[in-house]
Amino acid sequence: MDFGKILTAMVTPMKDNSDVDFEEAGRLAKYLAEHGSDGIVVAGTTGESPTLSTDEKLELFRVVKEAVGKDVIVIAGIGSNSTANSVALAQKAAKTGVDGLMAVVPYYNKPSQEGLYQHFRVIAEASELPLMLYNIPGRTSINLLPETVLRLSKVPNIVALKEAVGMMDQVSELKRILPEDFMVYSGDDSLTLPMLALGCSGIISVASHVVGDEMKKMVDAWFEGDTKKALQWHLKLMPIFKGIFITANPVPVKYLVNTLGIKAGKVRLPLVDANPEEKEFLTNLLKRVKEG
């Protein structure tokens, strides 16, 4: 399965009382599909997965897939630091109509590379859906090494990796040793173009919530061979790629989504909303990028 080139790690809209706003989630998913996204990742870190219940996640999977239909890939975030819980959620998610699953490296436990291999293997074998691995050492404290990804690539339905390690040498090694059809996606907006240059498949983006059309122009230019144009877009978008992480994700992007007229709402504790200074910075940043 081809997951596409731009996938958005979607925020989870919340009502004023912090309940999930499922109706608005469907509306946001449609908006993203109309503004550059080939696919949507639901209940990932940007979707505040640590504070979502299993029932909330499953309903989000159903609602988002129903909203975007067959033309847009929906990937369900099912990973946790409990293999058993991840397996159970994978099995339930497979019944909601989603197209694939994503599982993050277990956080806090600090497993060995063998432990990581066994964790992901067991999750993959719990469902027939294609599985994407997610490596983000800055949040998990463990780096999923290229050699372990190579082992996992031999599990039939492990087909992709979201790589947010931030080291191009590691990305180069991944592309050197992995099968050509194994998809590697950037997990950092600012590294989209550098990773495309290394032969990666695309980006799992946060910024695409607000500059999805512009990112599509950048990515399309790259794949059409217009590297100069792709670079111009990369440089133009760099301020927003970096600026939307002025405080903990997804606080900034959720604020900006609200400014678009989509009711993303607030974040759940322990996260708190952007302060007035951050809001002013973000508003001006998006305005400059859109007008510049």
Side-chain angles (χ1 to χ4, degrees):
M1 172 181 284
D2 182 359
F3 286 157
K5 297 178 177 66
I6 300 176
L7 294 88
T8 298
M10 195 181 87
V11 301
T12 298
M14 304 280 187
K15 299 178 181 179
D16 290 342
N17 64 358
S18 291
D19 286 349
V20 174
D21 191 334
F22 294 105
E23 182 177 352
E24 205 66 8
R27 182 173 171 233
L28 174 57
K30 289 180 180 178
Y31 175 87
L32 296 172
E34 293 166 358
H35 291 276
S37 293
D38 303 310
I40 298 171
V41 177
V42 182
T45 309
T46 305
E48 298 178 74
S49 58
T51 61
L52 295 176
S53 70
T54 295
D55 287 344
E56 287 173 331
K57 291 177 182 179
L58 292 171
E59 184 63 13
L60 280 168
F61 301 156
R62 282 189 286 267
V63 166
V64 171
K65 186 57 192 175
E66 182 178 345
V68 299
K70 297 179 181 179
D71 294 333
V72 178
I73 295 292
V74 176
I75 297 177
I78 54 88
S80 72
N81 63 346
S82 164
T83 305
N85 289 348
S86 299
V87 164
L89 184 54
Q91 292 171 332
K92 292 175 182 177
K95 299 176 182 178
T96 65
V98 296
D99 304 288
L101 307 174
M102 185 176 76
V104 69
V105 167
Y107 38 88
Y108 196 75
N109 315 57
K110 300 184 77 171
S112 65
Q113 293 298 307
E114 180 62 25
L116 293 175
Y117 171 78
Q118 297 297 343
H119 172 80
F120 288 120
R121 180 189 61 79
V122 170
I123 293 172
E125 291 175 352
S127 163
E128 295 182 356
L129 288 176
L131 177 67
M132 177 183 290
L133 314 173
Y134 180 16
N135 186 34
I136 181 163
R139 284 186 179 264
T140 65
S141 80
I142 293 294
N143 185 13
L144 180 65
L145 296 177
E147 294 78 10
T148 307
V149 179
L150 177 60
R151 290 180 68 195
L152 288 164
S153 72
K154 298 173 184 176
V155 178
N157 59 325
I158 296 180
V159 299
L161 168 71
K162 178 183 178 183
E163 180 63 271
V165 73
M167 296 188 295
M168 294 301 97
D169 283 357
Q170 180 157 309
V171 176
S172 297
E173 181 66 4
L174 285 163
K175 291 302 298 179
R176 188 183 74 82
I177 66 175
L178 285 169
E180 188 174 350
D181 61 351
F182 191 91
M183 296 172 285
V184 178
Y185 288 85
S186 173
D188 297 293
D189 284 302
S190 62
L191 295 180
T192 304
L193 188 58
M195 288 183 63
L196 289 178
L198 290 173
C200 294
S201 298
I203 171 68
I204 310 236
S205 175
V206 176
S208 54
H209 282 89
V210 292
V211 289
D213 293 324
E214 292 84 351
M215 292 185 70
K216 179 172 173 55
K217 290 176 182 178
M218 178 184 73
V219 171
D220 285 350
W222 171 261
F223 281 103
E224 290 166 3
D226 192 343
T227 57
K228 182 178 180 180
K229 184 178 179 181
L231 177 59
Q232 289 172 340
W233 276 113
H234 168 76
L235 297 176
K236 177 181 172 67
L237 294 171
M238 270 298 289
I240 194 114
F241 288 164
K242 304 302 287 186
I244 57 171
F245 294 95
I246 187 176
T247 188
N249 182 46
V251 173
V253 72
K254 213 166 190 186
Y255 166 73
L256 287 175
V257 170
N258 282 312
T259 69
L260 299 177
I262 297 171
K263 299 175 183 176
K266 299 181 178 181
V267 290
R268 279 181 174 172
L269 287 171
L271 297 178
V272 294
D273 293 327
N275 63 39
E277 292 79 14
E278 291 164 345
K279 290 179 179 179
E280 182 180 9
F281 167 81
L282 291 163
T283 300
N284 292 334
L285 173 66
L286 184 58
K287 183 178 179 180
R288 287 196 305 273
V289 169
K290 289 289 189 179
E291 294 178 351

